[in-house]
Amino acid sequence: MPVRAKPFSAAEIRTIFGRRKVSGALGNRILSVLHGRRLSGTLDLDLPADITSTVPQSTLDAGLKWLRTNYPIDEDAAILARIEREELEEEQRLIRRAEELGLYKPQSGSFGAERSEEDGVWGKSILKNIRRRNEARLLAEEEQRRKEWLEGEQREREALQRQIQQNTSLQKFEGSAVVDARPRADPKERPVLAWAQKHYLRAMDNDYSKLSEMTTSRRLVPALIVTLITLGLCYIYAESYQPPQRSDRMWPNVYPAAATAIAMIGINVGICILWKCWPPSWRMLNRYFISVPVYPHPLSLVGSIFSHQTFKHLAVNMTMLWFIGTRLHDEIGRGSFIAVYLACGVVGSMASLTAHVLLGKLMVTSLGASGALTGLIAAWCMLHADDKLTFFFLPPEWRDTFSAPGWVALTGIVTLEVLGLLSPFPALRVASLDYYAHLGGYLTGALWAVAWKAERAKKQKENRPWLEKVFYRE
């Protein structure tokens, strides 16, 4: 905004800005911009680039000082007027926006105001209208998802049948668990069942098109690597484990063997409850807590030894863990006990996976602590190979009759397992037993016990006095 109608001459510009080199045209532009900013209350905003890039701040300060001296105005009032103007413009913008959205309407009691649904004078509720629209939209989306859920069963069945026709690896399993024929539940009528079915399908969402690429080596080599790593870690753990002081234990008043067994039973019970009661966990459990030869996950060799899908299976195995495991724990200590448990379980799982893959039984599933428990039984029997073993629940007068040395008892147990595995008569074979995992556990536990006894004898010999060593050699 020009300061006056007639521009300032070059001599006046030199007088205003002093010895600073400012041309007449630039001086008039600086004064008009500064004067306009004073009147509009916008001195705090940045000046045009052609001014700030040409003259220093001291020149601008000199021009502003001259204007305030010769053309005084109330700059504070101009700033307040600018704030009020901006607030009014913002309010008008919001009103226009509200009118566009249909939210701004005449208030009740004024001309043109709409009455409420109940014919009240307070007017219609815009928020109620918005909520009705949102509820209708959500219901429509839910109905669309329900429709897609019910119609998706046939589409998935057709897609799976196409995969079976294209993949020779799946054709012989068409009548098995690959095709699930159970109809889908309507979410409106049976919401809990539909919720469980959705998680079931999500858990069973395997890419069967890749099964043709799964060779025997791709199924077994990663699992073998995990087995070897687990055995190495078990050895390191058993050798480096140091029992904590009683004050440092989590349950200081519980006997160590009982505390270990309770902790392991708790893990098994927790995973069984997830299988039974929490469908969102099924996808994770299918990957890492059950061994399936058709599409094996290597880490499932470890997870499956803590996994049970029925309470009967869980109860049998945990009972064996309590009565056999606590006794073995007392004799060898916690570090060796946990290492033996894991090693026998993983080797048993690897033996089961290898046997089923080589025999072509790719849809057989395997889980449970049986392989680990058979290893504990074999270790106990071999540690007491020459001791008479009997059943603790027999009356005292019968225990001598029904007793045998540890190696005889183990031989008998393994013989029954082998007969059950090789028997041509289905009546003599229990279909639910994983004989290969059991035999892998027996072998691992027996080998460990032999090595542990040899190591213990070596340490005892090294700890004898030198004189006893001489007589011992003689």
Side-chain angles (χ1 to χ4, degrees):
M1 182 176 295
V3 180
R4 64 184 188 185
K6 182 181 178 182
F8 293 94
S9 63
E12 291 174 321
I13 293 297
R14 286 194 297 272
T15 302
I16 296 171
F17 292 100
R19 290 178 294 179
R20 301 172 179 87
K21 294 182 179 180
V22 179
S23 64
L26 181 58
N28 278 283
R29 173 157 172 72
I30 292 173
L31 293 175
S32 63
V33 170
L34 291 175
H35 188 58
R37 294 291 179 89
R38 295 173 66 212
L39 293 176
S40 61
T42 56
L43 279 173
D44 57 321
L45 302 181
D46 295 333
L47 295 176
D50 63 323
I51 296 178
T52 56
S53 62
T54 305
V55 297
Q57 185 63 37
S58 59
T59 301
L60 301 177
D61 294 339
L64 184 59
K65 181 179 180 182
W66 185 86
L67 287 173
R68 286 172 174 170
T69 302
N70 295 276
Y71 294 89
I73 63 172
D74 192 347
E75 295 181 0
D76 293 336
I79 294 174
L80 294 175
R82 168 200 166 191
I83 294 173
E84 293 178 357
R85 184 171 63 253
E86 291 178 348
E87 290 179 349
L88 180 61
E89 291 175 353
E90 178 65 16
E91 182 180 353
Q92 292 174 349
R93 186 189 68 80
L94 293 176
I95 291 175
R96 289 194 299 272
R97 179 60 178 166
E99 289 176 346
E100 293 174 358
L101 298 175
L103 300 178
Y104 183 77
K105 295 183 179 180
Q107 300 296 314
S108 58
S110 60
F111 178 76
E114 297 183 11
R115 302 178 74 85
S116 68
E117 293 81 351
E118 296 81 10
D119 200 27
V121 296
W122 50 84
K124 287 189 175 180
S125 172
I126 301 301
L127 294 179
K128 285 184 178 180
N129 292 336
I130 294 175
R131 188 170 77 173
R132 290 194 193 95
R133 289 197 298 269
N134 289 337
E135 290 176 347
R137 175 178 56 81
L138 294 175
L139 288 175
E141 293 176 355
E142 182 180 353
E143 182 62 25
Q144 179 64 24
R145 289 193 297 269
R146 171 179 169 272
K147 184 178 179 181
E148 292 175 354
W149 161 253
L150 294 175
E151 294 178 352
E153 178 182 359
Q154 184 61 29
R155 291 196 301 268
E156 291 183 3
R157 190 186 301 274
E158 293 173 356
L160 185 57
Q161 291 292 345
R162 288 194 297 270
Q163 289 185 10
I164 292 175
Q165 294 174 1
Q166 298 171 3
N167 193 333
T168 56
S169 301
L170 285 175
Q171 290 176 2
K172 56 185 175 181
F173 305 124
E174 182 176 357
S176 62
V178 177
V179 180
D180 182 32
R182 281 180 285 183
R184 295 187 179 182
D186 192 329
K188 285 187 175 181
E189 298 177 358
R190 308 180 71 181
V192 176
L193 180 57
W195 171 71
Q197 286 181 338
K198 287 180 181 179
H199 287 289
Y200 170 80
L201 293 176
R202 181 172 176 266
M204 300 297 292
D205 186 17
N206 293 321
D207 189 0
Y208 293 108
S209 61
K210 296 182 179 179
L211 290 184
S212 58
E213 305 173 3
M214 293 291 291
T215 61
T216 300
S217 60
R218 290 190 63 179
R219 288 188 171 98
L220 296 181
V221 171
L224 178 61
I225 294 174
V226 170
T227 301
L228 296 176
I229 293 175
T230 304
L231 292 177
L233 293 176
C234 289
Y235 176 79
I236 294 173
Y237 178 76
E239 290 296 318
S240 60
Y241 178 79
Q242 294 294 330
Q245 298 294 328
R246 180 172 181 176
S247 58
D248 297 332
R249 288 164 47 192
M250 183 180 297
W251 302 320
N253 297 324
V254 179
Y255 199 63
T260 303
I262 291 172
M264 299 177 95
I265 292 172
I267 295 173
N268 284 270
V269 170
I271 295 175
C272 184
I273 291 175
L274 290 180
W275 278 115
K276 285 289 188 181
C277 306
W278 190 241
S281 67
W282 288 349
R283 188 174 190 181
M284 179 266 294
L285 295 174
N286 272 353
R287 285 178 178 268
Y288 305 115
F289 290 88
I290 187 171
S291 179
V292 185
V294 69
Y295 207 94
H297 291 275
L299 292 179
S300 65
L301 296 182
V302 180
S304 62
I305 63 179
F306 297 96
S307 180
H308 301 79
Q309 289 183 334
T310 64
F311 291 120
K312 178 182 178 181
H313 189 196
L314 175 70
V316 172
N317 283 347
M318 294 304 100
T319 301
M320 293 177 61
L321 174 61
W322 179 262
F323 287 104
I324 300 297
T326 52
R327 286 165 172 77
L328 183 62
H329 188 293
D330 289 337
E331 187 165 348
I332 65 176
R334 176 175 291 167
S336 296
F337 174 79
I338 294 177
V340 171
Y341 183 90
L342 291 175
C344 294
V346 172
V347 172
S349 298
M350 184 64 201
S352 172
L353 176 64
T354 303
H356 289 131
V357 169
L358 296 180
L359 294 175
K361 299 179 180 180
L362 301 183
M363 296 306 296
V364 175
T365 58
S366 177
L367 77 168
S370 302
L373 295 174
T374 56
L376 299 183
I377 293 173
W380 174 258
C381 290
M382 292 305 297
L383 289 179
H384 300 273
D386 299 325
D387 300 334
K388 287 287 188 75
L389 301 182
T390 185
F391 297 102
F392 69 92
F393 53 82
L394 291 176
E397 60 272 14
W398 289 9
R399 291 182 181 178
D400 290 336
T401 304
F402 296 96
S403 64
W407 70 271
V408 175
L410 180 60
T411 302
I413 295 173
V414 173
T415 302
L416 291 176
E417 294 273 5
V418 173
L419 292 176
L421 175 63
L422 302 178
S423 174
F425 305 105
L428 300 179
R429 188 188 308 117
V430 181
S432 60
L433 292 183
D434 190 346
Y435 291 102
Y436 299 106
H438 292 184
L439 294 175
Y442 286 129
L443 177 62
T444 307
L447 293 177
W448 174 87
V450 172
W452 192 82
K453 288 175 67 176
E455 183 68 18
R456 182 173 61 175
K458 180 180 177 181
K459 290 181 179 179
Q460 290 176 350
K461 184 177 179 181
E462 291 175 352
N463 293 331
R464 292 174 182 267
W466 67 271
L467 186 59
E468 292 187 8
K469 287 184 179 181
V470 174
F471 285 107
Y472 182 79
R473 289 173 183 153
E474 293 178 354

